[in-house]
Amino acid sequence: DAGVIQSPRHEVTEMGQEVTLRCKPISGHDYLFWYRQTMMRGLELLIYFNNNVPIDDSGMPEDRFSAKMPNASFSTLKIQPSEPRDSAVYFCASSPLFGREAWVRADTQYFGPGTRLTVL
Amino acid sequence: QQPVQSPQAVILREGEDAVINCSSSKALYSVHWYRQKHGEAPVFLMILLKGGEQKGHEKISASFNEKKQQSSLYLTASQLSYSGTYFCGTDRETTDSWGKFQFGAGTQVVVTP
């Protein structure tokens, strides 16, 4: 089975540019998550979707960040304009379920390989 | 609040044991453990649920002390493949169907030959 697919794997851009990160979840998974990982803050949940609908975006740091899921097999995380402090590894994850109903079944999140973003 | 992991890093020789802790100031419903190798994505290890149920990895064990709101991950007779950064994720006990899921900062484990 193909796992979670993310593109690009590496992105280097200049401050002020728009950046779009892409994610294809595992087929059949109803939940999709975007995480940001930095040395200082560790793994932070930015936003998650259920059946393509954003459920909790309280982790999105600023209005410069936006995420969409137009269909069950594709999601984007956009940063506009980008800033050097946005440099991080961005992970997408998906799961068939989320919450306690999932955890009693040990259903969990499957992470993609990540996109390493560097903003100069 | 983010769960607190300790130690931040540990170096051990192959065959030695180590314990990684994950603590919360809030009541927890579940604790999730993941391992991330350098340059790779985090991989699920196990879930510990309130009430003592444990689901996941066969060779790595863990405990969940509900009184202390602390989980411990036990790396026994460590192997080189155990090297990586271990993250705990916690779900707080709330009246909602589930609380806010957050990861700790991670514990870096290095196993040497």
Side-chain angles (χ1 to χ4, degrees), chain A residues 9 35 37 41-43 45 48 56 58-59 91 98-100 102-109 111-113, chain B residues 2 29-30 32 34 36 39-42 44 47 49 55 87 91-94 96-101 103:
Chain A
R9 295 293 310 276
Y35 286 91
Q37 185 176 39
R41 300 172 71 91
L43 263 173
L45 177 62
Y48 80 95
D56 184 355
S58 60
F91 287 103
F98 198 64
R100 292 166 189 179
W103 299 331
V104 294
R105 295 171 28 171
D107 276 338
T108 183
Q109 301 171 71
F111 283 77
Chain B
Q2 191 179 35
Y29 180 83
S30 65
H32 308 219
Y34 285 76
Q36 183 180 27
E40 299 180 7
F44 168 74
I47 291 177
L49 304 173
K55 296 177 181 290
F87 293 95
D91 161 31
R92 296 205 309 260
E93 178 84 285
T94 69
D96 299 333
S97 60
W98 69 287
K100 190 169 180 64
F101 187 81
F103 279 102

Side-chain angles (χ1 to χ4, degrees), chain A residues 5-8 20-24 34 74-77 92 115:
Chain A
I5 299 172
Q6 291 186 246
S7 64
T20 299
L21 311 181
R22 297 172 176 79
C23 174
K24 177 179 169 55
W34 281 102
F74 183 66
S75 176
T76 60
L77 178 68
C92 174
T115 295

Side-chain angles (χ1 to χ4, degrees), chain A:
Chain A
D1 285 341
V4 175
I5 299 172
Q6 291 186 246
S7 64
R9 295 293 310 276
H10 301 273
E11 176 80 35
V12 180
T13 190
E14 292 189 346
M15 184 173 65
Q17 296 298 306
E18 177 179 295
V19 175
T20 299
L21 311 181
R22 297 172 176 79
C23 174
K24 177 179 169 55
I26 294 173
S27 177
H29 283 192
D30 290 338
Y31 288 82
L32 183 139
F33 309 82
W34 281 102
Y35 286 91
R36 177 172 67 177
Q37 185 176 39
T38 61
M39 289 294 292
M40 292 296 294
R41 300 172 71 91
L43 263 173
E44 302 173 274
L45 177 62
L46 301 177
I47 185 172
Y48 80 95
F49 296 82
N50 178 22
N51 290 323
N52 313 336
V53 176
I55 302 300
D56 184 355
D57 64 354
S58 60
M60 296 285 263
E62 312 173 24
D63 291 346
R64 298 185 296 106
F65 286 70
S66 63
K68 294 182 180 180
M69 192 164 186
N71 57 61
S73 60
F74 183 66
S75 176
T76 60
L77 178 68
K78 186 176 293 186
I79 308 172
Q80 166 63 17
S82 58
E83 296 182 3
R85 59 194 169 116
D86 301 331
S87 297
V89 179
Y90 291 81
F91 287 103
C92 174
S94 71
S95 67
L97 284 175
F98 198 64
R100 292 166 189 179
E101 182 184 353
W103 299 331
V104 294
R105 295 171 28 171
D107 276 338
T108 183
Q109 301 171 71
Y110 296 84
F111 283 77
T115 295
R116 182 173 294 277
L117 173 64
T118 302
V119 183
L120 303 174

Side-chain angles (χ1 to χ4, degrees), chain B residues 22-62:
Chain B
C22 173
S23 300
S24 173
S25 59
K26 303 288 186 182
L28 299 176
Y29 180 83
S30 65
V31 180
H32 308 219
W33 286 99
Y34 285 76
R35 178 171 61 207
Q36 183 180 27
K37 294 188 179 288
H38 183 68
E40 299 180 7
V43 174
F44 168 74
L45 294 177
M46 62 172 47
I47 291 177
L48 298 103
L49 304 173
K50 181 181 176 180
E53 197 169 0
Q54 184 180 130
K55 296 177 181 290
H57 209 279
E58 294 178 0
K59 294 186 178 180
I60 294 178
S61 63

Side-chain angles (χ1 to χ4, degrees), chain B residues 7-25:
Chain B
Q8 287 187 324
V10 59
I11 300 174
L12 57 161
R13 291 186 183 276
E14 201 173 3
E16 291 181 340
D17 301 338
V19 180
I20 301 170
N21 297 308
C22 173
S23 300
S24 173
S25 59

